[in-house]
Amino acid sequence: MRFFKTSVLLLLMSSLLLLAPSSCKMAGGGDAVTPNVPNTLVSSTLIGQFTTDQLRSRFTGTNVAFQLFIRYPISVYRITYTTTNTDGKSITASGALLIPTVNAGTSVPMLSIQHGTITSDDGAPSNYQSGSEAYTFGSVFASQGYIIAAPDYIGYGASKNVPHTYEHRSGLATASLDMLRAARQVLTSQNANWDKRLMIAGYSEGGYATLALQKKIEEETGSEFNLVASSCGAGAYDKPAFMKQILNNTTSTDPSISRLYLWVLLTYDRIYNLNRPATYYFKEPYATRIAASGYTANLGGLSFNQVVTDSFKQAINNGTDTDFLKAVQDNDIHDWKPRTNTRLYHGDADDTVLFLNSQNAYDAMRARGATNVQLIRLSGANHATGILGYITGTYDFFNSLQ
């Protein structure tokens, strides 16, 4: 759920790319589908076409190793498309589409990357700003031979003037799915060399968004997409169990972590029209601070369970706050049977998104007979250090399907 600086991600990516043979990117053909679905594309604007020399020039100093992995020129587009906001109304959203210029006769898969938590619109993929994930390692992925679809989500890019649907199952999945539909329209219009296979991946909020997207694709879209693999890292999949854990137990006192839990609570209060005063949820002086500043409020370096009221905790624990419990349950995605090959990566020392989320999801899915789901326990890894194991493991996973 935390946003990590690009420099850290670049160092991690330099390690993982060493593990990626070119055969991973040269895709076999998938069955084409002609889905009968509404067109979502509003516009497609070319941001730029970048030669391999231009791409290599982005990486200097400690990141110079990236130059070795630039293979194809790429074209980058800003896509706007229609989707549905949490109020049921149509809204224009956006994302980035990165298309490699591959050799004649070569077709490649599409990889939908759901980004982790960002707190500024500068990090939105469609802005493609220097230093952003899409501009740096997203471009390396594309240059290696992946078509990259990167949704902004609602609340960033074209929809930056409305609140972000933070950790909201339907909001994230719907925006990501409609981005894929818009990307497909662009690829079709340009006769791009897409082999019709789709892979999806994401870490932290992106991990949750990826599993939510997978569930939506599998349960609602029939044969519209040829989804072949899903790699989810450190997502908060078991919302009810995770919520009770952070309400009743001391967790991290890092203010940046507590604010994430606060952000989720405020998002659910808004989206489900609970509209309660801050004093219902929070003790003073934190209630006043939160009412004024939202999820950016200063929580004084306390564990999240120390700022919530005893009455709210009691109402959750004894089940009397049915409205809030229903909201949390509506965002639970841990207990279902995936059809797609799925891996759940998670550090067992994660103090931001607790490991129980992936363990509970794995146990529930296996109990339903999902033998195609694997849990990859990253021993000793926390939310930050788990990224390396997730990325390298994801590449190994995708390579194994070739």
Side-chain angles (χ1 to χ4, degrees):
M1 296 165 67
R2 305 176 73 183
F3 173 73
F4 298 96
K5 292 184 178 179
T6 302
S7 59
V8 175
L9 289 167
L10 287 172
L11 291 173
L12 297 176
M13 286 294 300
S14 65
S15 298
L16 75 93
L17 286 171
L18 291 169
L19 303 179
S22 60
S23 60
C24 172
K25 311 306 185 290
M26 296 298 100
D31 293 335
V33 293
T34 53
N36 182 22
V37 295
N39 293 334
T40 62
L41 181 65
V42 174
S43 67
S44 173
T45 304
L46 181 65
I47 293 175
Q49 294 176 311
F50 304 96
T51 67
T52 53
D53 285 343
Q54 288 173 320
L55 294 174
R56 291 187 185 105
S57 70
R58 297 178 183 180
F59 305 106
T60 59
T62 57
N63 298 319
V64 69
F66 270 97
Q67 295 184 7
L68 299 176
F69 304 106
I70 301 300
R71 184 174 186 182
Y72 298 115
I74 66 172
S75 298
V76 181
Y77 296 85
R78 184 176 193 266
I79 304 298
T80 62
Y81 61 97
T82 56
T83 190
T84 305
N85 202 353
T86 56
D87 59 3
K89 297 179 180 178
S90 178
I91 188 172
T92 299
S94 53
L97 182 65
L98 285 62
I99 305 175
T101 304
V102 297
N103 300 328
T106 299
S107 59
V108 296
M110 178 158 62
L111 172 58
S112 180
I113 299 178
Q114 286 63 240
H115 66 75
T117 300
I118 58 176
T119 57
S120 168
D121 192 57
D122 289 347
S126 70
N127 289 324
Y128 201 64
Q129 293 194 12
S130 176
S132 70
E133 295 180 20
Y135 184 90
T136 52
F137 70 83
S139 297
V140 174
F141 273 62
S143 184
Q144 282 275 299
Y146 279 112
I147 296 167
I148 302 297
D152 292 338
Y153 309 145
I154 293 170
Y156 301 109
S159 59
K160 66 182 180 181
N161 292 326
V162 301
H164 172 46
T165 55
Y166 192 54
E167 290 289 310
H168 182 253
R169 171 190 57 82
S170 180
L172 294 172
T174 300
S176 298
L177 175 59
D178 286 335
M179 170 67 187
L180 286 173
R181 289 168 169 160
R184 179 177 56 206
Q185 289 178 251
V186 175
L187 296 176
T188 299
S189 68
Q190 296 191 3
N191 295 315
N193 293 337
W194 177 31
D195 68 12
K196 301 303 187 291
R197 292 185 308 155
L198 173 64
M199 302 174 182
I200 58 177
Y203 189 85
S204 194
E205 184 186 13
Y208 176 77
T210 297
L211 194 61
L213 172 61
Q214 178 183 348
K215 191 171 189 291
K216 190 174 185 68
I217 289 174
E218 291 192 16
E219 295 180 353
E220 300 180 22
T221 67
S223 61
E224 182 181 344
F225 291 98
N226 181 23
L227 180 61
V228 298
S230 174
S231 183
C232 308
Y237 318 117
D238 189 344
K239 292 297 189 197
F242 188 28
M243 175 200 62
K244 289 186 177 181
Q245 185 72 15
I246 64 176
L247 284 181
N248 291 298
N249 298 278
T250 299
T251 52
S252 174
T253 58
D254 183 336
S256 66
I257 295 176
S258 297
R259 286 172 184 153
L260 299 178
Y261 304 154
L262 172 59
W263 194 357
V264 176
L265 186 151
L266 295 178
T267 298
Y268 291 177
D269 181 81
R270 171 181 60 82
I271 289 177
Y272 293 91
N273 296 312
L274 304 182
N275 301 320
R276 293 165 173 172
T279 51
Y280 172 79
Y281 297 112
F282 305 106
K283 299 174 183 177
E284 291 292 4
Y286 311 107
T288 297
R289 296 176 186 175
I290 292 166
S293 303
Y295 75 89
T296 64
N298 179 5
L299 300 183
L302 299 178
S303 170
F304 190 71
N305 71 315
Q306 296 175 298
V307 303
V308 297
T309 62
D310 292 337
S311 57
F312 174 52
K313 282 190 280 189
Q314 183 178 5
I316 294 299
N317 292 330
N318 64 23
T320 56
D321 190 345
T322 57
D323 288 338
F324 191 82
L325 288 169
K326 287 178 181 177
V328 173
Q329 186 61 50
D330 188 50
N331 290 281
D332 179 61
I333 55 172
H334 88 283
D335 188 5
W336 60 291
K337 184 181 178 181
R339 295 194 306 269
T340 305
N341 286 331
T342 304
R343 283 193 180 177
L344 306 171
Y345 292 85
H346 212 132
D348 59 12
D350 194 328
D351 59 352
T352 303
V353 181
L354 305 184
F355 179 75
L356 66 84
N357 284 280
S358 291
Q359 184 68 66
N360 291 0
Y362 173 76
D363 291 343
M365 292 173 177
R366 296 286 289 192
R368 290 181 177 270
T371 58
N372 55 346
V373 175
Q374 295 185 46
L375 172 62
I376 311 300
R377 183 181 190 125
L378 304 174
S379 181
N382 60 29
H383 203 64
T385 60
I387 297 177
L388 177 57
Y390 165 71
I391 295 178
T392 56
T394 297
Y395 265 77
D396 178 66
F397 173 35
F398 289 171
N399 287 342
S400 72
L401 301 176
Q402 306 304 319

